[in-house]
Amino acid sequence: MNRKTIYAVVFACASVMFASHVANAAGQGIKQDTKDAGHAIGNGARDVGHATAHAAKTVGHGAKEAGVGIGHGAKKAGQGIGHGAREGWDATKHAVKHVFGKDN
């Protein structure tokens, strides 16, 4: 081989090595950027999940309170009807005893 051929081969090898080093560095940069984007997306998704859970708990607790309030109101109404019915029965019983002379 002559000197020009040797220089050409050495230059070609050096160029390939330099190009592979640059490509590797660029690949690492892309890899890191992709990794950072993935972390950012994951963090955003977690924040959305937490906000959704908080909203769902708030709605659930509000529904529970409304249900308890309705339940207590229905209970009081039922007790009022029961007491009224009992008083009506007692008045009817007293009137019947009075009519038939069995009043004490």
Side-chain angles (χ1 to χ4, degrees):
M1 283 199 194
N2 62 19
R3 185 189 297 175
K4 282 186 172 185
T5 307
I6 292 173
Y7 285 143
V9 169
V10 168
F11 180 74
C13 288
S15 297
V16 169
M17 287 176 26
F18 178 74
S20 73
H21 177 70
V22 169
N24 188 27
Q28 289 297 322
I30 291 169
K31 181 180 173 183
Q32 186 61 43
D33 290 346
T34 304
K35 186 177 177 182
D36 291 342
H39 283 296
I41 290 169
N43 290 340
R46 185 183 64 241
D47 292 344
V48 168
H50 284 231
T52 303
H54 179 72
K57 286 178 188 173
T58 301
V59 169
H61 288 168
K64 176 189 168 200
E65 293 299 321
V68 167
I70 291 168
H72 286 172
K75 177 184 173 189
K76 287 181 182 179
Q79 287 173 343
I81 291 169
H83 288 289
R86 180 64 185 189
E87 289 173 3
W89 168 251
D90 288 342
T92 303
K93 186 171 68 171
H94 177 70
V96 168
K97 285 183 179 181
H98 183 69
V99 167
F100 289 105
K102 296 185 179 184
D103 208 9
N104 291 336

